[in-house]
Amino acid sequence: MKHTKIIDLLTGKALLHEVKAKGWVKTFRNNQFIALNDGSTINNIQCVVDLDKFPAELLKKIHTGAAISVRGTLVESRGAGQNVEIQVENLKVYGESNPEEYPIQPKKHSLEFLREQAHLRIRTNIFGAIMRVRSTLSFAVHKYFQDNGFFYFNAPIITGSDAEGAGEMFKVTNFNLNKLPKTEEGDVDFSEDFFGKATNLTVSGQLEAETYAMALGSVYTFGPTFRAENSNTSRHLAEFWMIEPEVAFNKLADNMDLAEDFIKYVISYTLEKCHDDLVFLENRLLDEEKNKPQAERSEMSLLEKLRFITENNFKRVSYTEAIDILKASKPNKNKKFNYIIEEWGADLQSEHERYLVEKHFKCPVILFDYPADIKAFYMRMNEDGKTVRAMDILFPGIGEIVGGSEREERYDVLLDKIEKMGIDKDELWWYLDTRKFGTAPHSGFGLGFERLVLFVTGMTNIRDVIPFPRTPQNAAF
């Protein structure tokens, strides 16, 4: 007999029929009531065991974390908290395990402890909910772009270019690190390496995506990216996933429209498909905030915040206007900001971005037209010669969640910017070629997927929204 997912059993459509369920035991009360979960939903199904039908030796094997199969009749539940339950007629326990050694006991565990048990933390309610939301968001990303005429482009993971120009990249080599070949100058001779040159793990697929947009029109990447930034914070990962659409003939305003529409769609889709998980995560947040002072509590619940994003237009504000607002703000005048805004040209920090979103405008904000000196070489220069057609989307609690721009499509201007920034033009000959042959206006943006999952789940540490986080001094799993 084929087993049925618990999410389907809980609908009650198979009432009074024989059913089979398989999963992992959450609790086993009074040697009679098994709370069973198979990962398909945050909700368990109760399985009622008749003690006279099963030997004590078998029942001793049933404990939290055990994998079991039950067969029986689906009936209306007599207890509170569930509509249906299974009256067990047949019971099987898979494998052997010691319940006293199982680290995920039915009690509250700290997130710090669960990070040390990353291979088992998915069995908790909180991580089951987070990862189902992550999966649904991932599907929504592909659905949005596929439904809107985009082609999925697989950018290379190994690259010889640094799209961000930050230099914080992981090297890729097949050298014996104890016997590195050297040049006459004493440098590592990468000409003898596997690729014949220095290569790295990618920080972005944008540059390659631009080349494909120049033929396919609308493309997107969605894959792993890497950054060797030695930041041990709640917002940084060494390995993370990036969503990067690129669209030919789109100007900056089109890019802002696309980003706003995309974000609203994927959040709306997840609100619909993951309601039970989001309610659980919302209640968790509400419980946590009971212990906080009133002033530190969120003004909106998780679901209210998500609906607020989907139901309201994003405020579009120039960088220059934002600087004026920040300079005149009370936190800046009273020197409460860690980084005081004194003049135009300052690189905005998370505290400034959150002030604009949470205190001043009280809605998502799209900042645009940033100073050229603080943005990447590939962003299109404005006519004023000082600003570029860049855009960042700022969210409450997160700060920047999207960064993008209209790209510099003029060969001479792009070449001049590359040279002034000290970037090796020979490494980017292929990128420059696209400005020589059929160049056209185009735009795109990047969205760190974990930042999106962080926002949608209400979590506060990015290590808790990726299955196995990679951070400084941590690659245990």
Side-chain angles (χ1 to χ4, degrees), residues 33-102:
F33 302 105
I34 301 171
L36 189 66
N37 191 282
D38 64 359
S40 62
T41 171
I42 197 164
N43 300 307
N44 307 321
I45 192 164
Q46 179 165 280
C47 306
V48 183
V49 177
D50 186 338
L51 298 179
D52 295 331
K53 289 185 178 180
F54 301 98
E57 292 76 15
L58 177 62
L59 297 181
K60 285 180 181 178
K61 296 181 179 180
I62 302 172
H63 55 79
T64 297
I68 68 170
S69 170
V70 299
R71 180 169 54 81
T73 305
L74 189 70
V75 299
E76 289 187 9
S77 178
R78 299 175 185 176
Q82 66 270 331
N83 296 321
V84 296
E85 62 189 23
I86 299 174
Q87 295 286 349
V88 179
E89 300 295 332
N90 182 273
L91 175 63
K92 178 181 179 181
V93 179
Y94 297 97
E96 299 284 343
S97 60
N98 184 343
E100 295 179 0
E101 294 179 356
Y102 183 56

Side-chain angles (χ1 to χ4, degrees), residues 150 213-214 217-219 245-251 255 258 441-444:
F150 284 72
M214 290 295 100
S218 300
V219 301
E246 202 71 35
V247 186
F249 307 107
N250 263 14
K251 297 293 190 75
N255 203 33
L258 173 65
H442 58 289
S443 298

Side-chain angles (χ1 to χ4, degrees), residues 377-431:
F377 72 93
Y378 50 73
M379 298 184 177
R380 196 185 201 279
M381 185 70 74
N382 281 316
E383 285 68 27
D384 60 14
K386 298 193 310 177
T387 61
V388 290
R389 294 180 189 174
M391 53 152 268
D392 288 344
I393 298 181
L394 314 179
F395 266 21
I398 295 256
E400 179 193 336
I401 194 169
V402 165
S405 72
E406 185 176 335
R407 314 311 190 188
E408 184 55 76
E409 87 282 8
R410 298 166 295 184
Y411 178 85
D412 56 339
V413 178
L414 180 61
L415 180 60
D416 183 62
K417 291 178 72 174
I418 286 174
E419 290 177 340
K420 284 182 177 177
M421 291 187 179
I423 299 170
D424 186 353
K425 66 180 181 180
D426 293 333
E427 290 289 335
L428 291 176
W429 66 268
W430 53 272
Y431 186 68

Side-chain angles (χ1 to χ4, degrees), residues 217-384:
S218 300
V219 301
Y220 72 102
T221 76
F222 186 9
T225 51
F226 309 85
R227 190 161 299 176
E229 183 178 0
N230 194 18
S231 294
N232 231 330
T233 75
S234 61
R235 299 176 72 235
H236 289 88
L237 291 167
E239 177 186 86
F240 53 99
W241 287 65
M242 283 289 288
I243 302 158
E244 296 175 294
E246 202 71 35
V247 186
F249 307 107
N250 263 14
K251 297 293 190 75
L252 180 61
D254 304 313
N255 203 33
M256 291 191 280
D257 290 342
L258 173 65
E260 180 172 347
D261 189 58
F262 166 71
I263 288 175
K264 287 180 175 179
Y265 175 86
V266 296
I267 292 178
S268 295
Y269 185 90
T270 307
L271 274 168
E272 177 187 349
K273 299 295 183 180
C274 292
H275 180 262
D276 288 350
D277 288 315
L278 290 172
V279 168
F280 169 82
L281 292 168
E282 177 179 74
N283 289 334
R284 173 189 167 273
L285 285 174
L286 292 173
D287 286 341
E288 280 193 347
E289 293 207 331
K290 288 177 182 177
N291 300 320
K292 293 182 180 179
Q294 189 66 38
E296 296 180 14
R297 296 180 187 178
S298 302
E299 295 181 8
M300 291 184 285
S301 70
L302 178 60
L303 290 173
E304 287 172 339
K305 183 174 66 173
L306 297 178
R307 293 191 183 105
F308 181 77
I309 296 293
T310 62
E311 295 169 1
N312 289 280
N313 293 329
F314 294 6
K315 180 72 175 177
R316 301 186 182 188
V317 183
S318 73
Y319 167 89
T320 300
E321 182 183 348
I323 285 293
D324 291 339
I325 291 168
L326 291 167
K327 283 172 66 177
S329 68
K330 285 185 178 180
N332 199 63
K333 288 182 175 180
N334 296 334
K335 302 197 182 313
K336 297 293 186 182
F337 284 145
N338 291 321
Y339 296 88
I340 305 301
I341 299 294
E342 296 178 341
E343 58 185 14
W344 190 92
D347 199 353
L348 300 186
Q349 304 297 317
S350 179
E351 60 181 343
H352 308 133
E353 296 167 342
R354 292 186 61 179
Y355 174 83
L356 292 169
V357 172
E358 298 168 24
K359 302 299 181 183
H360 188 82
F361 291 108
K362 297 188 176 181
C363 68
V365 173
I366 306 181
L367 292 187
F368 62 92
D369 286 352
Y370 280 80
D373 291 344
I374 62 173
K375 287 296 183 180
F377 72 93
Y378 50 73
M379 298 184 177
R380 196 185 201 279
M381 185 70 74
N382 281 316
E383 285 68 27
D384 60 14

